Amino acid sequence: AGTSSSISSYTTEAMPEPVAPPAAPPAPVMVEMPSSSRGLNMKCANWRDQKERKSKKDQLKLQANCMQQDCEQSLEPIGCRFTDADHHCYTNPGQLFCGEHIGHPDCHDLGAEASFPNESGPGTWTPVQSVATYGSSAGEPNYGCWCFKHCQHYSGSTQVKFRCNTDFG
């Protein structure tokens, strides 16, 4: 009995070398926000620094004064596009830093619409809402604030007064 062998012939084509996917762009270098850019309006800094040791009444008073300063800043050329995590406006150095570092985690961006003049409509600065109480008042119901643009609040020895300006057009 004979054996037969069969030889198959085939051709091979060179397989193309795999192409590597394009490299991902490098992650942006996240610079630390300098302490000089973390500035808040004075009354907001007072709230931030004193809230833990103040009564609820005093926390609300500090926050109301803070919101008055932030409301006023939102109507000024520097505006209030960028805030801290508590929704308090950064002062000029912080606004400039955040404008140069869009997306920085310390810069909460209210959007390009929040630039001056910021009277109404999209991007209008609004005061804080649903703020927790701290210290001995922790756990009490949250509170919020209102902004009456072009008005000022001040306390006399016996009464609370408001000053409003209708000449803002």
Side-chain angles (χ1 to χ4, degrees), residues 8 13-14 17 21 36 50 55 68-70 84-85 87 98 100 107 109 113-114 123-125 129 145 154 162:
S8 299
E13 294 181 23
E17 290 292 320
S36 62
Q50 299 175 20
S55 68
Q68 178 184 345
Q69 285 187 315
D70 278 2
D84 69 356
H87 194 69
C98 292
E100 294 170 359
C107 300
D109 190 351
E113 300 88 8
T124 301
W125 175 87
Q129 298 297 313
C145 297
Y154 66 97
F162 292 89

Side-chain angles (χ1 to χ4, degrees), residues 33 82-84 90 94 97-99 101-109:
M33 186 179 205
F82 300 101
T83 69
D84 69 356
Y90 284 122
F97 173 86
C98 292
H101 299 90
I102 302 289
H104 191 282
D106 291 330
C107 300
H108 299 268
D109 190 351

Side-chain angles (χ1 to χ4, degrees), residues 117-132:
N118 189 7
E119 296 286 334
S120 61
T124 301
W125 175 87
T126 57
V128 295
Q129 298 297 313
S130 193
V131 179

Side-chain angles (χ1 to χ4, degrees), residues 51-92:
K51 66 186 177 198
E52 292 287 345
R53 60 183 183 270
K54 294 289 187 181
S55 68
K56 181 177 181 177
K57 178 182 174 184
D58 288 340
Q59 288 178 51
L60 271 70
K61 183 178 178 181
L62 286 171
Q63 187 72 265
N65 289 329
C66 165
M67 291 294 96
Q68 178 184 345
Q69 285 187 315
D70 278 2
C71 183
E72 184 177 332
Q73 179 178 323
S74 77
L75 299 170
E76 295 173 350
I78 187 61
C80 183
R81 176 176 176 176
F82 300 101
T83 69
D84 69 356
D86 292 316
H87 194 69
H88 296 142
C89 301
Y90 284 122
T91 56
N92 192 33

